[in-house]
C-alpha cells in the first residue's frame, strides 16, 4: 500500500495545476481502494465553504455545484471534528444532506477524512460505496495517510495554478501567502524570478513573436545536446561502464523522439517561446511514465526530465536569453536567492526579496536587513514559472506576500511604504544625537556588518562602531581559506573604515547552517555539532591565522575587539585565550603589533547563562547572541519555517536568561551587549535597556528606529515595564504590553516592526 501511496503522491506532485492534481487523487484513490466513489471537497471562498472540487463516481456536473457550509453535512462534520467519519449508512446519520445532482442516493457506506496542512483545514477526502458496510481499519488508515500526505501536494498544485484558489486561513484573506519574516519593511513591486540554472519548473511562460527563430533555437539546442551525449558516451566506452553507455543511448533515443520535437514546435506555433514550450511537452510526456505500474518504466519519467534540463541549458545559453532585466521596483523571487544574486542586481532598483526557502537568519535575509530591503523567507512552493512581471506585495513585518493584489491591498501597502519612507527620512535627523533615555541613561548603539556592501550604510547610520563583524562572510564568498595577507587586507579595510570607533570581530563561526564550499561538514544535527569555536580550536592553524591577521590590521588603529562564538565550556575560553596570547607573542617577536586587544565571548548557548559569572571573570566583555540563545533555549530551529511561529525573543525564558547574564557580568564589572536581531526590535529594546544591557548592536537600517525608542522613554518607565513583563507568562502578552507602550509614546509607526 505504501508503494501505491508513494506513486499517487509523485503523480500529484508532477501535476501542472490543482484540477489535474485533484483528478489524479480521486481516480487513483478510487482504484486503490476499489470503491465506487472518491471525491475531494476543498474549503474555498470568503466563507470557507466546502466545494466539491473533483469526483470519480458522482455525476460530473455536480463538481463546483455542490457547496456546503463549513459545519454542514457529513463533510462539515469531518471538518469540524478533524477526525475520520466512518458510516455504513450515510443517509441515516442526522448530519446527512442530500444533493440530487450527485446521484449519491446509490451509495450507503461513507468514509471521510480531513485534509489538514499545518493546522490549516484544507478540505475533506471522501470515499463511498453502494454496499452497507463499515470501512475496515486498514482502509481508514490508508485514506487517512493519503490525506495527510496529499495536503502538501494540494497546496503545491494550488500554487502552481492560481495562487489564491484556496481559502486562506481566517484572518489572512486577500490571497496572502505566509512565510517567515526575513527583513522588515513593506514593498510593492514587479517580480523578477531568480532561476537556479536550467531548472525546467521555473521557466517562464513567455510569448514569442518569432516562432521560426524559436524553433531554430530548439533544433540547435537539441543538436548540441546530441553531440554532448555522444562525447559522453565515448568517454564512458573506454572506461567500460556498460550501464552508463545504455543510459546515454536511452537519452539519445528520447532526444530523437519525433513527438517530443513535434509537440514542442506545435506549442511554439501556438505562441510560446521555446523554453516554456519544452517545459510543457516534457511535463506531459513524463507524466505518462509516472503513471506506469512498472518501477523501471516509472524511472524513465525522471530520465526524460533530465533530457529536458539538458536541452533547456543549451537553449538558455544561446545569446541574450539569460540576461536578466531589472525594472524599477524589482522584487527578486526565487527558491534560494543567494548573496551573489543580490550582489549582481542593481541595488537601486531592488525593493524587495521573496524566497521559498530559508529564514530571517539566512544570509540573504541578513544582507537584505543590512541594506534595508524588505524580505520574506520560507514561502514554500511558488509557481516560479508563472510569476515574471506580476505585481507582488512583500510584507516583511508579518512575513507574507500577496501576488496580484487587489487594488485595495496594493493601495494600502503603497501607503505603508510611503509612511515608512517618511519615517526613515525623519529619523535621519537623529543621526548625530546620543542614544540616551529621557532621564539621561546612555546606551551604546552599534551596527552588525560582515559584507563590504553594508559598510557604507553602517558608517552612515550614526552607530558607535561595530558590535558584530561576522568574519565568516568573507570566507564564504571565496574558493579556499583566505591566506593571512588576504585576511589582513579585509580586516584592515573594516577597522580603518570605523577607526577610532571600536570594531568587534568575531572569529570564524562556520558550521550549523553556515558552511564553506571548500570545507564541507556533513552532520545529522549541525546546530548541535561542530560549530564556531569547536571547529577553530580543533584547527588552531585556522584560528591562529585569523587572530594574527586581525592583530596585524589593528597596528596603529587599536580599535579591534575579538569575540569568540558558540562557546559552551569555560575551557574553550581558556584555550582560545592561550592561542590569542601565543599569536601576540609571535607577532611581537617578529617586531609587529603584538598588543592584546579586549577579548569577549558570545553568550549563545544556555549552559553559559548558568556560568555567566565565571565567564565574566575570564574575559573583557560579554555579547549575547540572542538568535542562537533563543534557538537553543526554546529548542526551535532558527531556520525552520515550520516552527518559526514558536521562535520568539520575548519568551519569558529568554528574558530571565538575559537578566542572569547581566547579573553574572556585573560581579566583575564587565559590560554586556546584545548583538542578535532582538537588539533591532523596538519593543524588545525597551526591555534590554531596562535589563541593564550596555550596548545594542543591530543592522544599520534598524538603528535609527531604536535610537528613537530610547530617546522617547525614561529608564524609570522602562524598568516598570520590565517588572510587569517579568510577571507575565507568555511572549504574546509581553508583546502586547510593549506595543501599547510604543503607541502611547507616539511611536505607533514602529509597532508594525513588532511580531503580530
Ligand atoms: C546570534 O546568534 O545571535 C548571533 C548574533 O550570531 P549569528 O546570527 O551569526 O549566529
Ligand atoms: Mg550565533
Amino acid at each position: 500500500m505504501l508503494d501505491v501511496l508513494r506513486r499517487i503522491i509523485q503523480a500529484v506532485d508532477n501535476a501542472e495545476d490543482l484540477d489535474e492534481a485533484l483528478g489524479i487523487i480521486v481516480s487513483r484513490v478510487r482504484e486503490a481502494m476499489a470503491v465506487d466513489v472518491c471525491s475531494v471537497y476543498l474549503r474555498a471562498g470568503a466563507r470557507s465553504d466546502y466545494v466539491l472540487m473533483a469526483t470519480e463516481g458522482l455525476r460530473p456536473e455536480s463538481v463546483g455545484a455542490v457547496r456546503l457550509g463549513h459545519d454542514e453535512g457529513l463533510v462539515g462534520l469531518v471538518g469540524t471534528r478533524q477526525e475520520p467519519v466512518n458510516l455504513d449508512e450515510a443517509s441515516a446519520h442526522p448530519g446527512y444532506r442530500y444533493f440530487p445532482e450527485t446521484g449519491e442516493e446509490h451509495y450507503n457506506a461513507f468514509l471521510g477524512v480531513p485534509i489538514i496542512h499545518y493546522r490549516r483545514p484544507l478540505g475533506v477526502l471522501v470515499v463511498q460505496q453502494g454496499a452497507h458496510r463499515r470501512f475496515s481499519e486498514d482502509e481508514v488508515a490508508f485514506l487517512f495517510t493519503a490525506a495527510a500526505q496529499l495536503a502538501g501536494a494540494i497546496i503545491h498544485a494550488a500554487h502552481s495554478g492560481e495562487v489564491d484558489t484556496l481559502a486562506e486561513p481566517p484572518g489572512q484573506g486577500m490571497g496572502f501567502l505566509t512565510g517567515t519574516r526575513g527583513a522588515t519593511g513593506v514593498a510593492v513591486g514587479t517580480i523578477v524570478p531568480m532561476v537556479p540554472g536550467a531548472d525546467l519548473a521555473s521557466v517562464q511562460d513567455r510569448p514569442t513573436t518569432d516562432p521560426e527563430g524559436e524553433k531554430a533555437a530548439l533544433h540547435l539546442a537539441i543538436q548540441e545536446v546530441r553531440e554532448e551525449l555522444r562525447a559522453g558516451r565515448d568517454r564512458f566506452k573506454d572506461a567500460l561502464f556498460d550501464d552508463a553507455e545504455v543510459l546515454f543511448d536511452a537519452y539519445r533515443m528520447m532526444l530523437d523522439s519525433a513527438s517530443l520535437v513535434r509537440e514542442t514546435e506545435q506549442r511554439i506555433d501556438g505562441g510560446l517561446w521555446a523554453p516554456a514550450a519544452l517545459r510543457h511537452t516534457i511535463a506531459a510526456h513524463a507524466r505518462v511514465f509516472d503513471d506506469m505500474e512498472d518501477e523501471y518504466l516509472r524511472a524513465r519519467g525522471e530520465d526524460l526530465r533530465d533530457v529536458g534540463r539538458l536541452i533547456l541549458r543549451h537553449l538558455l545559453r544561446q545569446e541574450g536569453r539569460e540576461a536578466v532585466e531589472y525594472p524599477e521596483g524589482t522584487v527578486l523571487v526565487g527558491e534560494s536567492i543567494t548573496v551573489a544574486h543580490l550582489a549582481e542586481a542593481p541595488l537601486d532598483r531592488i525593493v524587495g526579496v521573496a524566497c521559498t526557502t530559508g529564514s530571517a537568519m539566512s544570509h540573504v535575509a541578513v544582507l537584505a536587513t543590512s541594506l534595508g530591503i524588505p524580505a520574506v523567507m520560507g514561502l514554500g512552493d511558488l509557481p516560479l514559472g508563472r510569476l515574471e512581471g506580476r505585481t507582488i506585495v512583500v510584507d516583511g513585518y508579518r512575513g507574507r506576500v500577496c501576488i496580484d493584489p487587489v487594488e485595495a491591498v496594493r493601495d494600502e501597502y503603497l501607503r505603508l511604504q510611503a509612511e515608512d519612507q517618511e519615517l526613515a527620512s525623519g529619523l535621519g535627523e537623529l543621526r548625530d544625537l546620543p542614544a540616551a533615555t529621557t532621564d539621561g541613561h546612555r546606551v551604546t548603539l552599534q551596527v552588525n556588518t560582515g559584507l563590504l556592501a553594508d559598510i557604507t550604510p553602517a558608517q552612515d547610520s550614526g552607530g558607535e562602531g561595530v558590535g558584530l563583524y561576522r568574519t565568516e562572510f568573507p570566507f564564504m564568498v571565496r574558493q579556499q581559506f583566505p591566506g593571512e595577507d588576504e585576511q589582513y587586507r579585509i580586516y584592515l579595510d573594516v577597522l580603518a573604515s570605523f577607526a577610532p570607533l571600536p570594531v568587534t570581530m568575531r572569529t570564524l563561526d562556520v558550521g550549523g547552517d553556515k558552511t564553506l564550499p571548500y570545507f564541507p561538514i556533513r552532520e545529522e544535527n549541525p546546530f548541535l555539532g561542530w560549530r564556531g569555536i569547536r571547529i577553530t580550536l580543533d584547527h588552531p592553524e585556522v584560528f591562529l591565522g585569523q587572530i594574527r591577521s586581525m592583530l596585524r590590521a589593528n597596528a596603529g588603529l587599536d580599535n579591534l575587539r575579538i569575540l569568540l562564538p558558540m562557546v559552551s565550556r569555560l575551557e574553550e575560553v581558556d584555550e582560545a585565550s592561550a592561542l590569542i596570547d601565543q599569536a601576540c607573542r609571535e607577532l611581537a617577536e617578529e617586531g609587529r603589533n603584538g598588543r592584546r586587544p579586549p577579548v569577549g565571548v558570545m553568550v549563545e548557548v544556555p549552559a553559559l547563562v548558568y556560568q555567566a559569572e565565571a565567564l565574566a571573570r575570564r574575559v573583557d566583555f560579554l555579547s549575547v547572541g540572542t538568535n542562537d540563545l533563543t534557538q537553543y533555549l526554546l529548542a526551535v530551529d532558527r531556520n525552520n519555517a515550520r516552527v518559526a511561529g514558536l521562535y520568539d525573543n520575548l519568551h519569558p525564558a529568554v528574558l530571565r536568561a538575559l537578566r542572569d547574564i547581566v547579573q553574572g557580568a556585573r560581579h566583575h564589572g564587565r559590560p554586556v551587549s546584545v548583538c542578535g536581531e532582538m537588539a533591532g526590535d523596538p519593543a524588545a529594546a525597551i526591555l534590554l535597556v531596562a535589563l541593564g544591557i550596555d550596548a545594542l548592536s543591530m543592522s544599520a537600517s534598524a538603528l535609527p528606529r531604536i535610537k528613537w525608542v530610547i530617546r522617547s522613554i525614561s529608564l524609570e518607565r522602562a524598568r516598570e515595564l520590565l517588572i510587569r513583563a517579568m510577571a507575565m507568562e507568555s511572549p504574546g502578552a509581553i508583546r502586547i504590553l510593549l506595543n501599547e507602550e510604543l503607541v502611547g509614546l507616539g511611536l505607533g509607526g514602529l509597532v508594525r516592526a513588532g511580531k503580530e
Side-chain angles (χ1 to χ4, degrees), residues 589-658:
E589 282 163 18
E590 292 166 27
R592 305 198 213 208
N593 174 42
R595 243 173 86 97
R596 184 180 158 111
V599 175
V601 162
M602 298 273 295
V603 183
E604 46 188 354
V605 177
L608 282 196
V609 176
Y610 299 99
Q611 292 192 290
E613 192 196 323
L615 177 66
R617 199 178 340 117
R618 288 170 160 77
V619 294
D620 301 301
F621 64 97
L622 302 184
S623 187
V624 189
T626 45
N627 302 341
D628 276 315
L629 184 61
T630 305
Q631 142 163 286
Y632 293 129
L633 267 176
L634 306 187
V636 178
D637 180 345
R638 61 191 261 185
N639 281 320
N640 185 342
R642 273 185 210 164
V643 289
L646 300 176
Y647 185 98
D648 199 328
N649 295 136
L650 289 183
H651 192 292
V654 177
L655 300 181
R656 279 171 175 68
L658 283 159

Side-chain angles (χ1 to χ4, degrees), residues 445-747:
L445 297 190
Q446 297 178 313
V447 285
N448 292 349
T449 72
L451 294 153
L452 284 181
D454 59 14
I455 282 194
T456 310
Q459 281 176 307
D460 292 345
S461 66
E464 300 162 80
V466 176
L468 173 64
Y469 175 75
R470 291 178 162 101
T471 56
E472 54 277 6
F473 286 170
F475 276 66
M476 278 170 163
V477 295
R478 283 173 168 70
Q479 301 304 315
Q480 56 189 15
F481 279 110
E484 192 179 306
D485 286 344
E486 196 177 354
Q487 286 188 59
Y488 159 78
R489 283 191 295 275
I490 299 168
Y491 303 150
L492 179 60
D493 229 8
V494 183
L495 290 174
S497 300
F498 289 93
L501 296 170
V503 174
T504 312
M505 291 198 163
R506 180 172 73 182
T507 61
L508 198 60
D509 185 23
V510 291
D513 65 331
K514 293 182 280 197
T515 51
L516 303 175
Y518 46 88
F519 190 64
I521 303 167
R522 277 184 249 294
E523 292 179 318
E524 284 274 310
N525 212 340
F527 273 113
L528 300 182
W530 206 39
R531 229 202 120 173
I533 196 86
R534 300 173 181 180
I535 295 182
T536 45
L537 286 180
D538 286 348
H539 278 278
E541 75 285 14
V542 174
F543 188 77
L544 283 167
Q546 198 175 26
I547 300 293
R548 281 177 58 93
S549 314
M550 288 180 185
L551 295 174
R552 282 174 52 197
N554 193 34
L557 293 171
D558 210 22
N559 60 338
L560 168 70
R561 290 150 38 105
I562 293 177
L563 185 58
L564 307 172
M566 193 57 198
V567 171
S568 59
R569 311 163 62 102
L570 298 176
E571 294 94 311
E572 288 164 342
V573 183
D574 296 337
E575 281 175 49
S577 188
L579 287 171
I580 293 172
D581 282 340
Q582 178 187 330
C584 291
R585 232 179 11 254
E586 284 169 8
L587 284 171
E589 282 163 18
E590 292 166 27
R592 305 198 213 208
N593 174 42
R595 243 173 86 97
R596 184 180 158 111
V599 175
V601 162
M602 298 273 295
V603 183
E604 46 188 354
V605 177
L608 282 196
V609 176
Y610 299 99
Q611 292 192 290
E613 192 196 323
L615 177 66
R617 199 178 340 117
R618 288 170 160 77
V619 294
D620 301 301
F621 64 97
L622 302 184
S623 187
V624 189
T626 45
N627 302 341
D628 276 315
L629 184 61
T630 305
Q631 142 163 286
Y632 293 129
L633 267 176
L634 306 187
V636 178
D637 180 345
R638 61 191 261 185
N639 281 320
N640 185 342
R642 273 185 210 164
V643 289
L646 300 176
Y647 185 98
D648 199 328
N649 295 136
L650 289 183
H651 192 292
V654 177
L655 300 181
R656 279 171 175 68
L658 283 159
R659 180 194 62 192
D660 295 353
I661 295 164
V662 172
Q663 228 168 46
R666 289 282 172 270
H667 255 275
H668 299 280
R670 303 291 186 237
V672 181
S673 57
V674 168
C675 62
E677 300 304 304
M678 185 180 186
D681 172 349
I686 297 177
L687 299 186
L688 295 177
V689 170
L691 279 162
I693 301 290
D694 303 280
L696 304 179
S697 191
M698 66 205 76
S699 72
S701 58
L703 197 138
R705 291 158 193 254
I706 300 301
K707 192 184 275 188
W708 192 28
V709 173
I710 291 174
R711 289 180 59 84
S712 305
I713 195 168
S714 68
L715 178 61
E716 194 188 342
R717 176 67 184 154
R719 284 184 174 149
E720 274 170 35
L721 290 166
L722 177 65
I723 290 169
R724 286 171 56 190
M726 283 296 197
M728 292 178 163
E729 294 176 354
S730 90
I734 298 173
R735 176 72 64 188
I736 290 170
L737 171 78
L738 298 168
N739 280 353
E740 279 174 0
E741 182 70 12
L742 288 171
V743 171
L745 289 168
L747 311 183

Side-chain angles (χ1 to χ4, degrees), residues 140-153:
V140 176
F142 175 79
L143 199 65
F144 186 86
T145 313
Q149 295 215 29
L150 287 168

